[in-house]
Amino acid sequence: MKKYTDINFPAIRMRRTRRSDSLRRLVEETNLSVNDLIYPAFVMEGKNQNESIKSMPGIYRQSIDGILKTAEKLMSLNIPAIAIFPIIDKEKKSNDGKEAYNSKGLIQKTIRHIKSKFPELTIITDVALDPFTTHGQDGIIDGNNYVLNDITVEILTKQAISHAEAGTDIVAPSDMMDGRIGSIRNALEKNNFHNTLILSYAAKYASCFYGPFRDAVRSKDNLAGGNKNNYQMDPKNSDESLREVALDINEGADIVMIKPAMMYQDIITKIKSEFAIPVFAYQVSGEYAMLRAAADAGYLDYKDSVMESLLSIKRSGASGILTYNAIDIAHWLNE
Ligand code: PBG
């Protein structure tokens, strides 16, 4: 590491390049663009549904007609991608989450609708069972509520294939089972989906900041105070993320994701410097809720705090960023 002992005042005055707006623009190292944004959206059954989510002011559960309006907005703002998450009716939840791979299921229907109207918009679909299980876990559980790995991977693989058949561009396993990337990649190749991307939630931490999301998809009550500590990563660990990412790359991931974003920027930087693969970050529901609540209380300026948070995530090394603020940010960038 260079020590910079030869840098001396007043030969060097750091403030020289900060003197004017145009000088600052010339030396800026990071820039946020609309190309970096991915909008996560919640889809529900029905028509003309637009339900607000208490812990996520400004975000809605929408039926497919509403999602299509949202997709149109994303297209007009030049936002490249939408990530869709389903709210599954109670009657369709089960112990093994088999609704997840119903070829006529809610997500599969939504993919078809979006693709037929907006083929250019990239669709990212979540591969995980938590919206579909009566117990709210991301996989199949045994009698001790332990999430079983290998049989879960089989179901996740069917789920991923059903998304590919419906026309999704990117499947995004967010479940943290071991070996699921390899199994999904194999199945995609076998079924001639050579160009379906896998965005692996490679380093996903067992975070309390997913709370509002679990409200949004109504899995919180199902989870009944349980946690996901036996599959998601321990927030105390950093080196472990390198092995997670290495495995997923070797198994066939095209892009890896770090989640949450703001409190795990050290991990983003570490992964970015270690591997030559696109790194995405997910500014999760709790991070959105925090910024939103502070702004609504008048404690922070909404635009300034959101933009600073996104710039920081970008600076740390992420290219694509999933953020519930994507639409607002695109408007601000266009101003
Ligand atoms: C489900 C999933 C979660 C999120 C994305 N996919 C929740 C969880 O793992 O409990 C969280 C997203 C957010 O908080 O915005 N596997």
Side-chain angles (χ1 to χ4, degrees), residues 247-307:
L247 274 167
D248 287 1
I249 293 175
N250 289 338
E251 289 177 34
D254 301 287
I255 304 167
V256 294
M257 182 129 77
I258 312 304
K259 178 185 175 185
M262 284 156 71
M263 278 129 189
Y264 295 82
Q265 292 189 30
D266 56 326
I267 308 297
I268 299 173
T269 303
K270 190 166 184 154
I271 300 300
K272 184 70 197 168
S273 61
E274 189 71 25
F275 300 98
I277 188 165
V279 177
F280 284 11
Y282 197 149
Q283 185 179 47
V284 299
S285 57
E287 299 179 292
Y288 172 82
M290 220 167 32
L291 290 167
R292 189 88 222 188
D296 289 348
Y299 299 156
L300 286 176
D301 180 81
Y302 184 60
K303 177 180 170 184
D304 290 348
S305 56
V306 166
M307 289 302 267

Short mmCIF file of all heavy atoms in Angstrom, two decimals, residues 247-307:
data_model
loop_
_atom_site.label_atom_id
_atom_site.label_comp_id
_atom_site.label_asym_id
_atom_site.label_seq_id
_atom_site.Cartn_x
_atom_site.Cartn_y
_atom_site.Cartn_z
N LEU A 247 -18.51 -20.37 -5.47
CA LEU A 247 -19.35 -21.52 -5.80
C LEU A 247 -20.38 -21.17 -6.87
O LEU A 247 -20.55 -21.89 -7.85
CB LEU A 247 -20.10 -21.99 -4.54
CG LEU A 247 -19.40 -22.97 -3.61
CD1 LEU A 247 -20.14 -23.05 -2.28
CD2 LEU A 247 -19.29 -24.35 -4.24
N ASP A 248 -21.06 -20.06 -6.67
CA ASP A 248 -22.13 -19.69 -7.60
C ASP A 248 -21.58 -19.39 -8.99
O ASP A 248 -22.20 -19.73 -10.00
CB ASP A 248 -22.94 -18.50 -7.07
CG ASP A 248 -23.84 -18.93 -5.90
OD1 ASP A 248 -23.79 -20.12 -5.54
OD2 ASP A 248 -24.58 -18.08 -5.37
N ILE A 249 -20.41 -18.78 -9.07
CA ILE A 249 -19.80 -18.51 -10.38
C ILE A 249 -19.45 -19.84 -11.05
O ILE A 249 -19.76 -20.06 -12.23
CB ILE A 249 -18.54 -17.62 -10.24
CG1 ILE A 249 -18.94 -16.21 -9.77
CG2 ILE A 249 -17.79 -17.54 -11.58
CD1 ILE A 249 -17.78 -15.29 -9.48
N ASN A 250 -18.86 -20.75 -10.29
CA ASN A 250 -18.49 -22.05 -10.87
C ASN A 250 -19.71 -22.85 -11.30
O ASN A 250 -19.64 -23.65 -12.23
CB ASN A 250 -17.65 -22.86 -9.88
CG ASN A 250 -16.26 -22.27 -9.71
OD1 ASN A 250 -15.80 -21.54 -10.58
ND2 ASN A 250 -15.62 -22.56 -8.60
N GLU A 251 -20.82 -22.64 -10.61
CA GLU A 251 -22.03 -23.39 -10.96
C GLU A 251 -22.79 -22.77 -12.13
O GLU A 251 -23.75 -23.36 -12.63
CB GLU A 251 -22.95 -23.47 -9.73
CG GLU A 251 -22.41 -24.40 -8.64
CD GLU A 251 -23.29 -24.41 -7.38
OE1 GLU A 251 -24.52 -24.29 -7.52
OE2 GLU A 251 -22.73 -24.54 -6.28
N GLY A 252 -22.40 -21.55 -12.53
CA GLY A 252 -23.03 -20.98 -13.72
C GLY A 252 -23.83 -19.70 -13.54
O GLY A 252 -24.67 -19.37 -14.37
N ALA A 253 -23.55 -18.95 -12.48
CA ALA A 253 -24.21 -17.65 -12.32
C ALA A 253 -23.62 -16.64 -13.30
O ALA A 253 -22.41 -16.68 -13.57
CB ALA A 253 -24.04 -17.14 -10.89
N ASP A 254 -24.46 -15.76 -13.84
CA ASP A 254 -23.98 -14.72 -14.75
C ASP A 254 -23.70 -13.42 -14.02
O ASP A 254 -22.89 -12.60 -14.45
CB ASP A 254 -25.05 -14.45 -15.83
CG ASP A 254 -25.36 -15.69 -16.63
OD1 ASP A 254 -24.52 -16.09 -17.44
OD2 ASP A 254 -26.43 -16.30 -16.38
N ILE A 255 -24.45 -13.22 -12.94
CA ILE A 255 -24.35 -11.98 -12.15
C ILE A 255 -24.51 -12.42 -10.70
O ILE A 255 -25.29 -13.35 -10.42
CB ILE A 255 -25.50 -11.00 -12.51
CG1 ILE A 255 -25.52 -10.69 -14.02
CG2 ILE A 255 -25.41 -9.71 -11.70
CD1 ILE A 255 -26.79 -9.98 -14.49
N VAL A 256 -23.79 -11.79 -9.80
CA VAL A 256 -24.00 -12.12 -8.38
C VAL A 256 -24.54 -10.89 -7.64
O VAL A 256 -24.26 -9.75 -8.01
CB VAL A 256 -22.72 -12.63 -7.68
CG1 VAL A 256 -22.30 -13.97 -8.28
CG2 VAL A 256 -21.59 -11.62 -7.75
N MET A 257 -25.28 -11.16 -6.60
CA MET A 257 -25.91 -10.06 -5.85
C MET A 257 -25.53 -10.12 -4.38
O MET A 257 -25.39 -11.19 -3.79
CB MET A 257 -27.42 -10.15 -5.97
CG MET A 257 -28.12 -9.00 -5.24
SD MET A 257 -29.29 -8.21 -6.28
CE MET A 257 -30.61 -9.38 -6.23
N ILE A 258 -25.35 -8.92 -3.83
CA ILE A 258 -25.11 -8.77 -2.40
C ILE A 258 -26.37 -8.11 -1.81
O ILE A 258 -26.90 -7.17 -2.37
CB ILE A 258 -23.92 -7.82 -2.12
CG1 ILE A 258 -22.70 -8.18 -2.98
CG2 ILE A 258 -23.58 -7.78 -0.63
CD1 ILE A 258 -22.20 -9.58 -2.86
N LYS A 259 -26.78 -8.58 -0.66
CA LYS A 259 -28.05 -8.11 -0.09
C LYS A 259 -28.03 -8.26 1.42
O LYS A 259 -27.63 -9.33 1.89
CB LYS A 259 -29.15 -8.95 -0.70
CG LYS A 259 -30.53 -8.67 -0.22
CD LYS A 259 -31.45 -9.69 -0.84
CE LYS A 259 -32.84 -9.49 -0.26
NZ LYS A 259 -33.76 -10.49 -0.70
N PRO A 260 -28.45 -7.27 2.19
CA PRO A 260 -28.81 -5.91 1.81
C PRO A 260 -27.62 -5.13 1.24
O PRO A 260 -26.51 -5.65 1.20
CB PRO A 260 -29.26 -5.28 3.13
CG PRO A 260 -29.59 -6.41 4.03
CD PRO A 260 -28.66 -7.51 3.64
N ALA A 261 -27.87 -3.87 0.86
CA ALA A 261 -26.82 -3.09 0.20
C ALA A 261 -26.09 -2.15 1.15
O ALA A 261 -24.88 -2.23 1.31
CB ALA A 261 -27.43 -2.29 -0.96
N MET A 262 -26.83 -1.26 1.80
CA MET A 262 -26.18 -0.15 2.50
C MET A 262 -25.27 -0.60 3.64
O MET A 262 -24.21 -0.04 3.84
CB MET A 262 -27.24 0.82 3.03
CG MET A 262 -27.83 1.70 1.95
SD MET A 262 -29.47 2.32 2.36
CE MET A 262 -29.08 3.52 3.63
N MET A 263 -25.69 -1.59 4.38
CA MET A 263 -24.89 -2.01 5.52
C MET A 263 -23.87 -3.09 5.15
O MET A 263 -23.13 -3.55 6.00
CB MET A 263 -25.78 -2.55 6.63
CG MET A 263 -26.34 -1.42 7.44
SD MET A 263 -28.08 -1.64 7.55
CE MET A 263 -28.55 -0.09 8.28
N TYR A 264 -23.85 -3.47 3.88
CA TYR A 264 -22.95 -4.54 3.44
C TYR A 264 -22.06 -4.07 2.29
O TYR A 264 -21.66 -4.85 1.44
CB TYR A 264 -23.78 -5.78 3.07
CG TYR A 264 -24.48 -6.34 4.31
CD1 TYR A 264 -25.69 -5.79 4.76
CD2 TYR A 264 -23.90 -7.34 5.06
CE1 TYR A 264 -26.30 -6.25 5.92
CE2 TYR A 264 -24.51 -7.81 6.23
CZ TYR A 264 -25.71 -7.26 6.64
OH TYR A 264 -26.30 -7.72 7.80
N GLN A 265 -21.76 -2.77 2.30
CA GLN A 265 -20.95 -2.22 1.21
C GLN A 265 -19.53 -2.74 1.25
O GLN A 265 -18.85 -2.80 0.23
CB GLN A 265 -21.00 -0.70 1.25
CG GLN A 265 -22.39 -0.19 0.91
CD GLN A 265 -22.45 1.30 0.71
OE1 GLN A 265 -21.50 1.92 0.29
NE2 GLN A 265 -23.59 1.88 1.01
N ASP A 266 -19.06 -3.12 2.46
CA ASP A 266 -17.72 -3.74 2.52
C ASP A 266 -17.71 -5.05 1.72
O ASP A 266 -16.72 -5.38 1.07
CB ASP A 266 -17.32 -4.00 3.98
CG ASP A 266 -18.35 -4.85 4.73
OD1 ASP A 266 -19.57 -4.73 4.46
OD2 ASP A 266 -17.93 -5.66 5.59
N ILE A 267 -18.82 -5.76 1.77
CA ILE A 267 -18.90 -7.04 1.04
C ILE A 267 -18.94 -6.78 -0.47
O ILE A 267 -18.29 -7.47 -1.26
CB ILE A 267 -20.15 -7.85 1.48
CG1 ILE A 267 -20.21 -7.98 3.01
CG2 ILE A 267 -20.18 -9.22 0.79
CD1 ILE A 267 -19.06 -8.75 3.63
N ILE A 268 -19.70 -5.76 -0.86
CA ILE A 268 -19.77 -5.41 -2.29
C ILE A 268 -18.36 -5.13 -2.81
O ILE A 268 -17.94 -5.65 -3.85
CB ILE A 268 -20.68 -4.16 -2.52
CG1 ILE A 268 -22.13 -4.44 -2.07
CG2 ILE A 268 -20.65 -3.74 -3.99
CD1 ILE A 268 -23.04 -3.22 -2.10
N THR A 269 -17.63 -4.30 -2.09
CA THR A 269 -16.27 -3.92 -2.52
C THR A 269 -15.35 -5.14 -2.57
O THR A 269 -14.57 -5.31 -3.51
CB THR A 269 -15.70 -2.87 -1.55
OG1 THR A 269 -16.58 -1.76 -1.52
CG2 THR A 269 -14.32 -2.41 -1.99
N LYS A 270 -15.49 -5.99 -1.58
CA LYS A 270 -14.65 -7.18 -1.52
C LYS A 270 -14.91 -8.11 -2.72
O LYS A 270 -13.99 -8.57 -3.38
CB LYS A 270 -14.99 -7.91 -0.21
CG LYS A 270 -14.09 -9.03 0.18
CD LYS A 270 -14.40 -9.37 1.64
CE LYS A 270 -13.47 -10.42 2.17
NZ LYS A 270 -13.32 -10.33 3.62
N ILE A 271 -16.18 -8.35 -2.99
CA ILE A 271 -16.53 -9.25 -4.10
C ILE A 271 -16.11 -8.63 -5.43
O ILE A 271 -15.56 -9.30 -6.29
CB ILE A 271 -18.07 -9.52 -4.10
CG1 ILE A 271 -18.53 -10.17 -2.80
CG2 ILE A 271 -18.48 -10.36 -5.31
CD1 ILE A 271 -17.90 -11.49 -2.47
N LYS A 272 -16.37 -7.33 -5.57
CA LYS A 272 -16.02 -6.63 -6.81
C LYS A 272 -14.52 -6.72 -7.08
O LYS A 272 -14.10 -6.90 -8.22
CB LYS A 272 -16.48 -5.18 -6.72
CG LYS A 272 -16.25 -4.38 -7.97
CD LYS A 272 -17.19 -4.84 -9.07
CE LYS A 272 -16.71 -4.35 -10.42
NZ LYS A 272 -17.46 -5.02 -11.50
N SER A 273 -13.70 -6.59 -6.04
CA SER A 273 -12.26 -6.59 -6.28
C SER A 273 -11.72 -8.01 -6.47
O SER A 273 -10.65 -8.20 -7.03
CB SER A 273 -11.53 -5.88 -5.15
OG SER A 273 -11.77 -6.55 -3.95
N GLU A 274 -12.46 -9.01 -6.04
CA GLU A 274 -11.96 -10.39 -6.11
C GLU A 274 -12.37 -11.10 -7.41
O GLU A 274 -11.63 -11.93 -7.93
CB GLU A 274 -12.50 -11.17 -4.90
CG GLU A 274 -11.90 -12.55 -4.70
CD GLU A 274 -10.45 -12.55 -4.22
OE1 GLU A 274 -10.04 -11.55 -3.59
OE2 GLU A 274 -9.76 -13.53 -4.49
N PHE A 275 -13.56 -10.79 -7.92
CA PHE A 275 -14.09 -11.55 -9.06
C PHE A 275 -14.42 -10.64 -10.24
O PHE A 275 -14.89 -9.53 -10.06
CB PHE A 275 -15.38 -12.27 -8.66
CG PHE A 275 -15.20 -13.26 -7.54
CD1 PHE A 275 -15.51 -12.90 -6.23
CD2 PHE A 275 -14.73 -14.54 -7.79
CE1 PHE A 275 -15.35 -13.80 -5.19
CE2 PHE A 275 -14.56 -15.44 -6.75
CZ PHE A 275 -14.88 -15.07 -5.44
N ALA A 276 -14.18 -11.19 -11.45
CA ALA A 276 -14.51 -10.44 -12.66
C ALA A 276 -15.90 -10.85 -13.13
O ALA A 276 -16.06 -11.58 -14.10
CB ALA A 276 -13.48 -10.70 -13.75
N ILE A 277 -16.91 -10.41 -12.41
CA ILE A 277 -18.30 -10.73 -12.76
C ILE A 277 -19.14 -9.53 -12.34
O ILE A 277 -18.79 -8.85 -11.36
CB ILE A 277 -18.77 -12.03 -12.04
CG1 ILE A 277 -20.15 -12.48 -12.56
CG2 ILE A 277 -18.76 -11.87 -10.52
CD1 ILE A 277 -20.51 -13.92 -12.17
N PRO A 278 -20.22 -9.24 -13.07
CA PRO A 278 -21.06 -8.12 -12.64
C PRO A 278 -21.60 -8.35 -11.22
O PRO A 278 -22.05 -9.46 -10.90
CB PRO A 278 -22.21 -8.11 -13.65
CG PRO A 278 -21.68 -8.83 -14.85
CD PRO A 278 -20.71 -9.84 -14.33
N VAL A 279 -21.53 -7.31 -10.41
CA VAL A 279 -22.02 -7.38 -9.03
C VAL A 279 -23.21 -6.44 -8.89
O VAL A 279 -23.10 -5.25 -9.18
CB VAL A 279 -20.91 -6.98 -8.03
CG1 VAL A 279 -21.45 -6.98 -6.60
CG2 VAL A 279 -19.71 -7.93 -8.14
N PHE A 280 -24.33 -7.00 -8.47
CA PHE A 280 -25.52 -6.19 -8.20
C PHE A 280 -25.72 -6.08 -6.69
O PHE A 280 -25.15 -6.87 -5.92
CB PHE A 280 -26.78 -6.83 -8.81
CG PHE A 280 -26.91 -6.66 -10.31
CD1 PHE A 280 -25.86 -6.19 -11.08
CD2 PHE A 280 -28.11 -6.99 -10.94
CE1 PHE A 280 -25.99 -6.04 -12.47
CE2 PHE A 280 -28.25 -6.84 -12.33
CZ PHE A 280 -27.19 -6.37 -13.09
N ALA A 281 -26.50 -5.09 -6.29
CA ALA A 281 -26.82 -4.94 -4.88
C ALA A 281 -28.32 -4.68 -4.75
O ALA A 281 -28.93 -4.13 -5.66
CB ALA A 281 -26.03 -3.79 -4.27
N TYR A 282 -28.87 -5.09 -3.64
CA TYR A 282 -30.31 -4.90 -3.39
C TYR A 282 -30.48 -3.98 -2.18
O TYR A 282 -30.17 -4.36 -1.06
CB TYR A 282 -30.94 -6.27 -3.11
CG TYR A 282 -32.46 -6.35 -3.21
CD1 TYR A 282 -33.07 -7.52 -3.62
CD2 TYR A 282 -33.28 -5.27 -2.91
CE1 TYR A 282 -34.47 -7.64 -3.71
CE2 TYR A 282 -34.67 -5.37 -3.01
CZ TYR A 282 -35.25 -6.56 -3.40
OH TYR A 282 -36.62 -6.67 -3.49
N GLN A 283 -30.92 -2.76 -2.48
CA GLN A 283 -31.28 -1.85 -1.38
C GLN A 283 -32.67 -2.30 -0.92
O GLN A 283 -33.67 -2.04 -1.59
CB GLN A 283 -31.31 -0.40 -1.87
CG GLN A 283 -31.55 0.60 -0.75
CD GLN A 283 -31.55 2.03 -1.25
OE1 GLN A 283 -32.20 2.35 -2.25
NE2 GLN A 283 -30.85 2.91 -0.57
N VAL A 284 -32.71 -3.00 0.18
CA VAL A 284 -33.90 -3.77 0.53
C VAL A 284 -35.00 -2.93 1.18
O VAL A 284 -34.81 -1.75 1.48
CB VAL A 284 -33.55 -4.99 1.43
CG1 VAL A 284 -32.62 -5.94 0.71
CG2 VAL A 284 -32.99 -4.54 2.77
N SER A 285 -36.12 -3.60 1.43
CA SER A 285 -37.32 -2.92 1.93
C SER A 285 -37.06 -2.12 3.20
O SER A 285 -37.56 -1.00 3.34
CB SER A 285 -38.41 -3.96 2.17
OG SER A 285 -37.95 -4.96 3.07
N GLY A 286 -36.27 -2.66 4.12
CA GLY A 286 -36.01 -1.96 5.38
C GLY A 286 -35.16 -0.72 5.18
O GLY A 286 -35.30 0.28 5.89
N GLU A 287 -34.29 -0.78 4.18
CA GLU A 287 -33.47 0.38 3.87
C GLU A 287 -34.34 1.47 3.26
O GLU A 287 -34.20 2.66 3.57
CB GLU A 287 -32.34 -0.03 2.92
CG GLU A 287 -31.42 -1.08 3.55
CD GLU A 287 -30.28 -1.53 2.63
OE1 GLU A 287 -30.54 -2.19 1.61
OE2 GLU A 287 -29.13 -1.22 2.95
N TYR A 288 -35.27 1.06 2.40
CA TYR A 288 -36.23 2.00 1.83
C TYR A 288 -37.09 2.62 2.95
O TYR A 288 -37.23 3.84 3.03
CB TYR A 288 -37.14 1.27 0.83
CG TYR A 288 -38.30 2.11 0.34
CD1 TYR A 288 -38.13 3.03 -0.69
CD2 TYR A 288 -39.57 1.99 0.92
CE1 TYR A 288 -39.18 3.81 -1.13
CE2 TYR A 288 -40.63 2.77 0.49
CZ TYR A 288 -40.44 3.68 -0.54
OH TYR A 288 -41.48 4.47 -0.96
N ALA A 289 -37.60 1.74 3.81
CA ALA A 289 -38.51 2.21 4.88
C ALA A 289 -37.81 3.22 5.79
O ALA A 289 -38.41 4.21 6.22
CB ALA A 289 -39.01 1.02 5.69
N MET A 290 -36.54 2.97 6.08
CA MET A 290 -35.77 3.83 6.96
C MET A 290 -35.62 5.23 6.38
O MET A 290 -35.88 6.23 7.04
CB MET A 290 -34.37 3.20 7.07
CG MET A 290 -33.77 3.24 8.41
SD MET A 290 -32.31 2.17 8.56
CE MET A 290 -31.54 2.18 6.99
N LEU A 291 -35.22 5.28 5.12
CA LEU A 291 -35.02 6.58 4.46
C LEU A 291 -36.36 7.32 4.33
O LEU A 291 -36.46 8.52 4.55
CB LEU A 291 -34.40 6.38 3.07
CG LEU A 291 -32.94 5.92 3.07
CD1 LEU A 291 -32.53 5.45 1.68
CD2 LEU A 291 -32.03 7.05 3.53
N ARG A 292 -37.37 6.54 3.97
CA ARG A 292 -38.70 7.11 3.78
C ARG A 292 -39.25 7.70 5.09
O ARG A 292 -39.77 8.80 5.13
CB ARG A 292 -39.62 5.98 3.30
CG ARG A 292 -40.95 6.39 2.85
CD ARG A 292 -40.93 6.74 1.40
NE ARG A 292 -41.73 7.93 1.22
CZ ARG A 292 -42.05 8.44 0.05
NH1 ARG A 292 -41.62 7.88 -1.07
NH2 ARG A 292 -42.79 9.51 -0.03
N ALA A 293 -39.10 6.92 6.16
CA ALA A 293 -39.63 7.37 7.47
C ALA A 293 -38.90 8.62 7.94
O ALA A 293 -39.52 9.56 8.46
CB ALA A 293 -39.50 6.24 8.50
N ALA A 294 -37.59 8.66 7.76
CA ALA A 294 -36.83 9.83 8.20
C ALA A 294 -37.24 11.06 7.39
O ALA A 294 -37.37 12.16 7.94
CB ALA A 294 -35.33 9.57 8.05
N ALA A 295 -37.49 10.84 6.10
CA ALA A 295 -37.91 11.97 5.26
C ALA A 295 -39.32 12.41 5.64
O ALA A 295 -39.59 13.62 5.76
CB ALA A 295 -37.85 11.57 3.79
N ASP A 296 -40.22 11.45 5.85
CA ASP A 296 -41.61 11.79 6.19
C ASP A 296 -41.68 12.51 7.53
O ASP A 296 -42.56 13.33 7.76
CB ASP A 296 -42.49 10.52 6.22
CG ASP A 296 -42.73 9.98 4.81
OD1 ASP A 296 -42.40 10.70 3.83
OD2 ASP A 296 -43.21 8.84 4.68
N ALA A 297 -40.74 12.21 8.42
CA ALA A 297 -40.71 12.89 9.72
C ALA A 297 -40.04 14.26 9.61
O ALA A 297 -40.01 15.01 10.59
CB ALA A 297 -39.98 12.01 10.74
N GLY A 298 -39.47 14.56 8.46
CA GLY A 298 -38.80 15.84 8.29
C GLY A 298 -37.36 15.84 8.79
O GLY A 298 -36.73 16.89 8.92
N TYR A 299 -36.82 14.66 9.07
CA TYR A 299 -35.45 14.59 9.61
C TYR A 299 -34.39 14.59 8.52
O TYR A 299 -33.25 14.94 8.75
CB TYR A 299 -35.27 13.34 10.48
CG TYR A 299 -36.18 13.27 11.68
CD1 TYR A 299 -36.50 12.04 12.27
CD2 TYR A 299 -36.71 14.43 12.25
CE1 TYR A 299 -37.33 11.98 13.38
CE2 TYR A 299 -37.54 14.38 13.35
CZ TYR A 299 -37.85 13.14 13.90
OH TYR A 299 -38.68 13.07 14.99
N LEU A 300 -34.73 14.08 7.34
CA LEU A 300 -33.79 14.03 6.23
C LEU A 300 -34.50 14.52 4.98
O LEU A 300 -35.71 14.36 4.85
CB LEU A 300 -33.33 12.59 5.96
CG LEU A 300 -32.36 11.91 6.91
CD1 LEU A 300 -32.14 10.46 6.47
CD2 LEU A 300 -31.02 12.65 6.97
N ASP A 301 -33.73 15.10 4.07
CA ASP A 301 -34.31 15.44 2.78
C ASP A 301 -34.40 14.15 1.94
O ASP A 301 -33.40 13.44 1.78
CB ASP A 301 -33.42 16.46 2.06
CG ASP A 301 -34.01 16.84 0.71
OD1 ASP A 301 -34.91 17.69 0.69
OD2 ASP A 301 -33.60 16.24 -0.32
N TYR A 302 -35.58 13.85 1.42
CA TYR A 302 -35.79 12.57 0.74
C TYR A 302 -34.87 12.41 -0.46
O TYR A 302 -34.10 11.44 -0.56
CB TYR A 302 -37.26 12.44 0.31
CG TYR A 302 -37.58 11.09 -0.31
CD1 TYR A 302 -37.39 9.92 0.40
CD2 TYR A 302 -38.06 11.01 -1.62
CE1 TYR A 302 -37.67 8.68 -0.17
CE2 TYR A 302 -38.33 9.77 -2.19
CZ TYR A 302 -38.14 8.62 -1.47
OH TYR A 302 -38.40 7.40 -2.03
N LYS A 303 -34.90 13.38 -1.36
CA LYS A 303 -34.11 13.25 -2.59
C LYS A 303 -32.61 13.17 -2.26
O LYS A 303 -31.91 12.29 -2.76
CB LYS A 303 -34.39 14.45 -3.49
CG LYS A 303 -33.56 14.45 -4.75
CD LYS A 303 -33.88 15.66 -5.62
CE LYS A 303 -32.86 15.75 -6.75
NZ LYS A 303 -33.05 16.94 -7.57
N ASP A 304 -32.13 14.08 -1.43
CA ASP A 304 -30.69 14.10 -1.14
C ASP A 304 -30.23 12.80 -0.48
O ASP A 304 -29.17 12.26 -0.82
CB ASP A 304 -30.32 15.29 -0.24
CG ASP A 304 -30.45 16.61 -0.97
OD1 ASP A 304 -30.59 16.59 -2.21
OD2 ASP A 304 -30.43 17.66 -0.30
N SER A 305 -31.02 12.29 0.45
CA SER A 305 -30.58 11.09 1.18
C SER A 305 -30.65 9.85 0.29
O SER A 305 -29.77 9.00 0.31
CB SER A 305 -31.38 10.90 2.47
OG SER A 305 -32.76 10.85 2.20
N VAL A 306 -31.69 9.77 -0.52
CA VAL A 306 -31.81 8.62 -1.43
C VAL A 306 -30.66 8.64 -2.45
O VAL A 306 -30.00 7.64 -2.69
CB VAL A 306 -33.18 8.62 -2.15
CG1 VAL A 306 -33.17 7.66 -3.33
CG2 VAL A 306 -34.28 8.24 -1.16
N MET A 307 -30.42 9.82 -3.03
CA MET A 307 -29.36 9.90 -4.05
C MET A 307 -27.99 9.58 -3.44
O MET A 307 -27.17 8.89 -4.05
CB MET A 307 -29.35 11.29 -4.70
CG MET A 307 -30.53 11.53 -5.59
SD MET A 307 -30.68 10.32 -6.95
CE MET A 307 -29.79 11.16 -8.24
#
